[in-house]
């Protein structure tokens, strides 16, 4: 394999990983917004931020990327709190909110 072919393959994998991660982050944003709405708190900044990524087996036993994102929310618009959403592949694995003050 020539050096330019190897470089092209590396760049293609990086581009695919970036493209796939953007799609998963958009799904995480939609899910976190809905979860905050159901909990009666305000989803802030209208986005999630990447925290970590690792390989993990899904329910079918296949290896998938597990991405963890964090986001901010407010219950009384005075204090910001932090939430976390974990995505396994393109599906929500868990969502959690820090303890917050109920207004």
């Amino acid at each position: 394999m020539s050096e330019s072919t190897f470089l092209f393959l590396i760049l293609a994998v990086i581009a695919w990983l970036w493209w796939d991660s953007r799609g998963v982050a958009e799904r995480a944003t939609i899910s976190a917004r809905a979860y905050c709405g159901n909990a009666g708190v305000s989803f802030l900044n209208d986005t999630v931020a990447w925290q970590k990524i690792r390989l993990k087996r899904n329910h079918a036993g296949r290896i998938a990327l597990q991405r963890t994102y964090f986001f901010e929310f407010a219950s009384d618009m005075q204090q910001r709190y932090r939430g976390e959403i974990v995505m396994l592949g393109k599906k929500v694995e868990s969502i959690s909110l820090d303890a917050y003050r109920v207004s």
Side-chain angles (χ1 to χ4, degrees):
M1 187 181 314
S2 71
E3 192 173 310
S4 61
T5 305
F6 183 70
L7 182 60
F8 176 74
L9 285 174
I10 297 244
L11 290 174
V13 167
I14 290 171
W16 172 83
L17 184 61
W18 178 82
W19 185 264
D20 187 58
S21 292
R22 289 306 322 140
V24 172
E26 288 174 16
R27 288 178 188 227
T29 300
I30 291 167
S31 298
R33 185 182 306 117
Y35 190 84
C36 286
N38 290 338
V41 297
S42 298
F43 182 68
L44 301 177
N45 304 333
D46 203 37
T47 190
V48 296
W50 174 74
Q51 188 171 342
K52 66 181 173 181
I53 187 170
R54 69 183 190 131
L55 295 174
K56 185 178 176 186
R57 293 194 183 273
N58 62 15
H59 68 300
R62 295 188 179 148
I63 293 179
L65 290 175
Q66 182 188 50
R67 298 171 177 98
T68 303
Y69 299 94
F70 71 90
F71 58 92
E72 292 183 330
F73 69 94
S75 61
D76 57 6
M77 300 311 278
Q78 299 293 321
Q79 174 91 21
R80 287 179 174 257
Y81 300 97
R82 192 168 171 158
E84 182 178 86
I85 182 167
V86 179
M87 304 289 289
L88 184 58
K90 295 182 190 291
K91 297 184 179 182
V92 175
E93 189 173 45
S94 67
I95 301 177
S96 62
L97 301 176
D98 284 348
Y100 59 92
R101 186 177 308 171
V102 179
S103 56

